[in-house]
Amino acid sequence: MTAPQRETRAARSGAASRGPRPRGAVRTRLPLLVPAGVGVALLVLPLLALLLRADWPSLPEHLAAPVVGQALRLSAVTTSVTMVVVWLLGTPLAWLLARSDHPLTAWARALVTVPLVLPPVVGGVALLLTWGRRGVIGGWLEEALGVTIPFTTTAVVLAEVFVAMPFYVISVEGSMRALDRRYDEVAATLGAGPVRVFRTVALPLVLPGIAAGSALAWARALGEFGATITFAGSFPGRTQTAPLGVYSALEQDPDAAIALALVMLLVSVLVLGLLRTRWLR
């Protein structure tokens, strides 16, 4: 087949694909529109209600309240520190899970993902039993070093890491498992050690997976509530993050709670939208 013939065939194929769709395909999708529409409504209506209920003229005044500012700053700081911890610990963990063929790897993977299904309050109790004053590690820390973790900002970070890291590890491990092992073998034959292979070969190739996992983990850390209030409490300026601030303000000043919720919604949509246009396709 000559080049002009191939171009003509491609043009015809494109024109056919842009033509009207068969009625059979449209009829097949019609029964799915109702449940799909109900699903979209269940997700979108609460967000619309939040936007409609907001007192927009007084929004700057509510956002200027000291409690709101403290909660937003604390959330920004703790989620940033959480993501650094998640990157430093979760990336090597995902790599080991993706590259290990040991029979116990499946059990290790299951343990890592337990916080995904664990009720947040139960996670907070588990953190207290670990890092509390009478906990497995916390008791020793207080006795030997005089360090107390519960009801501090450090406790907030630990709670956020506990609930957010599984989202990151699962996403990054999936990307790393899809990576062709021949890249590792070629780099190893050229003299690169395991750390260098991981840093210069694997990481650049799985950046989309890392970005996706980071977005999911950050969003989970930002919205963390149950484990945080159980393990760290809700003290303004020290452990009261934005979700706890919303919950606290809801009883005293609903408009301030709505303003704070709007900020969280806006930041979440912006970050996830920016990541999706660049990485999450």
Side-chain angles (χ1 to χ4, degrees), residues 115 161 225 281:
V161 169
F225 181 88
R281 296 179 179 176

Side-chain angles (χ1 to χ4, degrees), residues 118-252:
L118 201 64
V121 175
V122 177
V125 173
L127 288 169
L128 269 177
L129 295 177
T130 305
W131 301 101
R133 292 181 174 178
R134 297 182 180 179
V136 177
I137 300 176
W140 175 83
L141 284 177
E142 184 168 2
E143 184 178 348
L145 305 176
V147 175
T148 303
I149 293 180
F151 308 107
T152 63
T153 305
T154 303
V156 177
V157 173
L158 283 175
E160 291 179 350
V161 169
F162 182 76
V163 300
M165 188 181 289
F167 288 88
Y168 178 81
V169 172
I170 285 180
S171 179
V172 177
E173 188 209 350
S175 299
M176 289 179 170
R177 274 200 295 173
L179 196 62
D180 196 334
R181 295 196 179 199
R182 285 177 294 182
Y183 293 123
D184 306 356
E185 297 170 359
V186 171
T189 57
L190 294 175
V195 176
R196 189 174 181 183
V197 170
F198 171 71
R199 181 171 53 84
T200 60
V201 177
L203 282 183
L205 292 175
V206 297
L207 278 180
I210 291 177
S214 301
L216 293 174
W218 177 83
R220 181 65 185 88
L222 181 66
E224 162 50 29
F225 181 88
T228 304
I229 199 170
T230 306
F231 181 45
S234 180
F235 302 102
R238 193 173 66 184
T239 65
Q240 190 178 83
T241 56
L244 299 179
V246 171
Y247 181 76
S248 177
L250 200 56
E251 297 181 352
Q252 303 170 0

Side-chain angles (χ1 to χ4, degrees), residues 68-141:
V68 174
Q70 288 176 351
L72 289 175
R73 281 193 296 273
L74 186 63
S75 280
V77 171
T78 55
T79 54
S80 299
V81 176
T82 295
M83 286 314 303
V84 172
V85 176
V86 167
W87 285 328
L88 292 177
L89 304 182
T91 307
L93 176 58
W95 175 253
L96 291 176
L97 290 176
R99 283 294 185 260
S100 175
D101 297 322
H102 196 277
L104 294 178
T105 302
W107 289 100
R109 187 178 294 112
L111 286 175
V112 169
T113 55
V114 163
L116 290 177
V117 297
L118 201 64
V121 175
V122 177
V125 173
L127 288 169
L128 269 177
L129 295 177
T130 305
W131 301 101
R133 292 181 174 178
R134 297 182 180 179
V136 177
I137 300 176
W140 175 83
L141 284 177

